[in-house]
Amino acid sequence: MSSSKIDTLIIGAGLAGLTAARVLKLAGRKVKIIEASDEPGGRVRTDEVNGFLLDRGFQVFLAAYPEAKRFLDYKALDLKSFSPGSIILNASGIDEIGDPLREASSLIRTLKSPIGTLSDKLRLLSLRLKLAGNSIDQIFAKKETTTLEYLRAAGFGEKIISHFFAPFMSGIYLEQKLDTSSRMFEFVFKMFSESDTAIPAKGMGMIPKQLAADLSVEELIFNERVISIDDNNVLAASGNIYKASTILIATAADCLPVPFQHRQVQKKSLTCMYFSAEKAPYQKALIALNAIPDRLVNNIAVMSNVSSCYAPKGKSLISVSLSGNQKFIKQDELELKVKEELKFWFSECSNWTPIKTYTIPYALPDNTHVINDILPSSLRINHSTFICGDHLLNGSINAAMKSGRIAAEAILSI
């Protein structure tokens, strides 16, 4: 297959590749995207199973993301927001904390919560106010340490770290030790504080579908896996050869084509189980965080409490996120372990019906060291080939889109 008239061939239809395609098309360039799977989105996809909408791994959308504001139509996504705050599952039962700055009625409840001392809660408020005054560039210019060291240095006690920060951030970081960069912590905490935490009404997969909406059938080819790149030629597993003036690699870091593969890729895994129930375990649009040490379940969320589209009428959809990669545990055994852990708080979980389990080996890049900007020239790996992806910056929707934009701007500059 010859595609000599293509200006830029993009490998991968994740958020980075789709954003790059949009920038290039707006500049008048002819683009084509080759995608190994059957839909756009990469790690951000939604499946429909028996009337339930299942995101491939529990994910949320932070409406404060600058790149998202730049490229996405929030109204068209019909964003449905989580309530500010969290449910805390601990050894004494269930507690709840709110965000008094966004929900004044939660002030008394939050002050009474046993997750930490009054001083800790005041420090939490102070941290929010401090980060509101810091720009994103200022945050990423700071010296890096681990999130755990950062929180301890800020004066937070071990109880609030273990009962709030650890389960809350572990669901984002996909690691429980809080080894993730302190820059990432400040950035994420700032984003959570400044606007809504949401999901599109019809699933996270609506985000890539919106980015791909202006691409024609000829410009977006599915089920075509790239094997190698040789100069301006791209060889697919099908035997097709594609040609373009420039090539942009927009795959995950562990899927780079020959000869650009990394020997070893540091990544974070995720296992997410979905259950249906006749009755929701709780009625609020909150994420429940498991504060028990050595937990299997990290958090649960009743997705249908946030968006009714996620479940058929009269049913509830429950997302249960597990720590690490659980693919070596048999499905029925894993289900029993999850229900055994949750029954202390939700005795009715024994009646939950399993829908589907996702084990995602590459859910996030390693975020031990992160940046928020990159020189366009550094995304050019030879005379005709460029690269983008959140693994070059930090593991977030914002970084994926930003890397795609910067790579497209680098291509336009040559």
Side-chain angles (χ1 to χ4, degrees):
M1 178 182 291
S2 175
S3 303
S4 57
K5 293 183 180 180
I6 299 172
D7 293 317
T8 301
L9 182 68
I10 300 171
I11 303 170
L15 299 186
L18 292 171
T19 303
R22 173 168 289 194
V23 173
L24 291 167
K25 281 200 70 175
L26 285 173
R29 299 295 178 93
K30 294 181 179 180
V31 302
K32 186 185 289 291
I33 301 181
I34 302 174
E35 168 57 40
S37 66
D38 58 353
E39 283 188 13
R43 287 172 279 144
V44 183
R45 289 184 57 176
T46 304
D47 298 322
E48 183 173 351
V49 179
N50 299 326
F52 293 93
L53 296 179
L54 311 181
D55 295 327
R56 293 197 178 184
F58 173 65
Q59 302 176 53
V60 296
F61 177 72
L62 303 184
Y65 281 147
E67 296 295 321
K69 290 179 181 178
R70 183 171 186 161
F71 289 104
L72 296 175
D73 180 346
Y74 286 9
K75 185 176 181 180
L77 287 175
D78 191 15
L79 295 176
K80 303 297 182 182
S81 300
F82 287 83
S83 299
S86 301
I87 292 170
I88 309 296
L89 309 176
N90 53 47
S92 61
I94 298 177
D95 294 306
E96 186 180 326
I97 61 169
D99 183 347
L101 292 182
R102 297 178 62 195
E103 187 180 49
S105 62
S106 70
L107 176 61
I108 301 301
R109 181 175 69 249
T110 302
L111 291 175
K112 288 183 177 180
S113 169
I115 65 163
T117 66
L118 177 59
S119 295
D120 284 327
K121 292 163 189 173
L122 292 175
R123 287 189 187 93
L124 193 59
L125 177 61
S126 176
L127 176 62
R128 277 206 52 184
L129 295 173
K130 183 189 82 168
L131 294 178
N134 286 176
S135 69
I136 294 174
D137 287 340
Q138 287 174 323
I139 286 173
F140 280 91
K142 294 180 182 179
K143 183 179 178 181
E144 277 183 300
T145 183
T146 68
T147 295
L148 181 58
E149 290 170 343
Y150 171 93
L151 292 171
R152 286 173 173 168
F156 288 104
E158 293 302 314
K159 187 171 184 179
I160 196 170
I161 291 174
S162 63
H163 282 60
F164 173 66
F165 285 113
F168 179 62
M169 300 311 298
S170 293
I172 301 163
Y173 294 166
L174 306 184
E175 56 93 1
Q176 293 190 9
K177 295 181 179 179
L178 300 185
D179 289 333
T180 297
S181 168
S182 54
R183 292 176 182 170
M184 197 68 190
F185 170 78
E186 287 201 338
F187 171 64
V188 170
F189 209 73
K190 179 181 175 70
M191 294 295 97
F192 269 106
S193 300
E194 291 188 349
S195 190
D196 289 344
T197 301
I199 50 175
K202 294 185 178 180
M204 290 292 289
M206 297 305 295
I207 295 172
K209 285 182 179 179
Q210 187 181 104
L211 288 172
D214 292 334
L215 295 170
S216 67
V217 174
E218 293 76 21
E219 290 173 324
L220 184 50
I221 299 175
F222 296 113
N223 301 306
E224 187 77 301
R225 183 172 60 87
V226 170
I227 296 175
S228 64
I229 300 173
D230 182 10
D231 198 23
N232 294 83
N233 300 313
V234 173
L235 174 63
S238 64
N240 289 330
I241 297 176
Y242 299 85
K243 297 182 180 181
S245 300
T246 55
I247 298 161
L248 175 60
I249 301 171
T251 68
D254 63 343
C255 295
L256 304 184
V258 174
F260 304 108
Q261 294 171 319
H262 297 312
R263 291 183 179 179
Q264 187 174 4
V265 176
Q266 298 296 320
K267 56 191 178 184
K268 303 297 181 184
S269 302
L270 170 68
T271 299
C272 180
M273 304 182 75
Y274 285 101
F275 297 89
S276 68
E278 298 297 322
K279 182 182 178 182
Y282 55 88
Q283 300 302 315
K284 295 185 178 181
L286 290 170
I287 300 171
L289 309 175
N290 187 356
I292 299 297
D294 302 318
R295 58 192 173 271
L296 171 63
V297 174
N298 196 73
N299 60 59
I300 77 169
V302 184
M303 305 304 293
S304 48
N305 285 356
V306 187
S307 170
S308 61
C309 297
Y310 267 70
K313 188 175 181 179
K315 299 283 186 179
S316 294
L317 176 66
I318 303 162
S319 164
V320 179
S321 294
L322 311 182
S323 302
N325 188 335
Q326 306 294 334
K327 70 177 181 179
F328 299 110
I329 302 178
K330 292 181 179 179
Q331 180 66 26
D332 55 351
E333 182 182 345
L334 186 60
E335 180 189 333
L336 286 173
K337 287 187 174 187
V338 165
K339 290 184 175 182
E340 181 66 25
E341 187 165 293
L342 291 177
K343 72 179 184 181
F344 175 72
W345 305 288
F346 309 113
S347 58
E348 70 278 12
C349 71
S350 59
N351 298 319
W352 295 354
T353 302
I355 303 174
K356 188 169 184 176
T357 296
Y358 291 94
T359 298
I360 305 167
Y362 190 111
L364 277 180
D366 179 69
N367 280 323
T368 305
H369 302 291
V370 296
I371 56 175
N372 187 56
D373 215 345
I374 193 167
L375 290 173
S377 58
S378 66
L379 300 181
R380 188 174 189 175
I381 50 181
N382 65 30
H383 73 285
S384 61
T385 306
F386 295 74
I387 190 170
C388 63
D390 64 346
H391 58 94
L392 301 171
L393 297 171
N394 59 80
S396 67
I397 286 174
N398 187 75
M401 297 179 72
K402 184 169 186 174
S403 73
R405 172 179 63 81
I406 295 174
E409 292 169 351
I411 291 170
L412 291 172
S413 70
I414 63 174

